[in-house]
Amino acid sequence: GAGPVTVFVAECAYGEGGTGWRVWPCALLLSCWLAANHAALPLAGSRAIELGCGLGLPALTAASLGAGDVRITDCLPKLLRTVRRSAARAARPHLVAAALLDWDQVAAPDEAEVYSTEQGVKAAQRKEAGPGGGGGEDACGVAPLPAGDRFDLLLASDVVYSLSHARQLPAVLERAAAPSRALACLMVPVRSEAHTRRFLDELAAVGFRVRLAR
């Protein structure tokens, strides 16, 4: 293991963070797994991204363990403003940044699942940003992730809540993965067997070799 790893994580109100307003157990489990297995992972100097970050604990942990360039992404600009406060307290804050990434812009959600609590929070934040807010990035000072950015290490925890997520996340992972060398470390609880099977099938369909750890 890596020994003790200290990470500062700021929290926010639900209206700012939606379901990402607090640290959930899967984020803690993934962070502990990274710390316990860091010697066998391509962490040192790697480009790492967290998808659907919530408060970003796994990405912040990767930064503490030696990742060289870390992006912490979500669709909620106000949440990312909180994440930036945490990034500023990282051991090497100049290597850690928050960025907007809306999965709906990579792969459209299923029509039957367009509305959810998270979609409601996102819609409220965009309305507050106004027509010139570009989805909130100007209003909250958080820029979108450049479409061409590619990463060696891809992280996500507790992000498959629906069939849409099961289809969207593999597409987002494929777009963000560095060619031929990317490793995705995902902590995904089984809320629905059908959704989980669809997620694993979609991962394989876009070229990931799937290994399950329990």
Side-chain angles (χ1 to χ4, degrees):
V5 177
T6 301
V7 179
F8 172 84
V9 179
E11 293 193 338
C12 62
Y14 180 83
E16 296 180 343
T19 53
W21 70 286
R22 55 159 290 180
V23 175
W24 295 101
C26 280
L28 183 58
L29 286 170
L30 179 55
S31 300
C32 291
W33 187 88
L34 290 172
N37 295 277
H38 77 287
L41 298 173
L43 271 170
S46 66
R47 297 202 76 213
I49 184 171
E50 184 173 358
L51 304 166
C53 66
L55 295 175
L57 177 60
L60 294 165
T61 301
S64 294
L65 291 168
D69 185 15
V70 179
R71 295 294 175 269
I72 312 178
T73 68
D74 204 281
C75 66
L76 301 179
K78 286 189 175 181
L79 172 61
L80 292 173
R81 188 169 55 187
T82 298
V83 170
R84 287 196 310 179
R85 298 206 310 269
S86 301
R89 298 277 295 270
R92 297 177 296 166
H94 60 290
L95 298 177
V96 184
L100 278 168
L101 177 58
D102 188 345
W103 299 1
D104 291 351
Q105 296 177 1
V106 179
D110 296 327
E111 289 186 6
E113 298 180 337
V114 164
Y115 185 80
S116 66
T117 302
E118 197 74 5
Q119 293 282 0
V121 174
K122 182 174 70 173
Q125 292 192 17
R126 289 187 167 181
K127 182 177 180 181
E128 184 177 335
E137 59 268 29
D138 294 333
C140 293
V142 182
L145 183 76
D149 269 10
R150 298 291 183 269
F151 299 88
D152 312 303
L153 181 65
L154 305 105
L155 306 171
S157 67
D158 203 357
V159 290
V160 178
Y161 284 83
S162 68
L163 194 59
S164 285
H165 294 155
R167 184 174 53 80
Q168 289 176 309
L169 180 54
V172 176
L173 287 164
E174 180 188 26
R175 191 184 83 161
S180 75
R181 66 176 188 274
L183 174 67
C185 299
L186 315 172
M187 188 69 67
V188 180
V190 179
R191 287 192 168 82
S192 159
E193 184 175 343
H195 295 171
T196 302
R197 288 186 181 278
R198 175 69 180 271
F199 174 59
L200 296 176
D201 288 345
E202 294 283 347
L203 278 177
V206 298
F208 282 95
R209 288 182 294 175
V210 178
R211 177 182 174 187
L212 302 179
R214 301 185 179 182

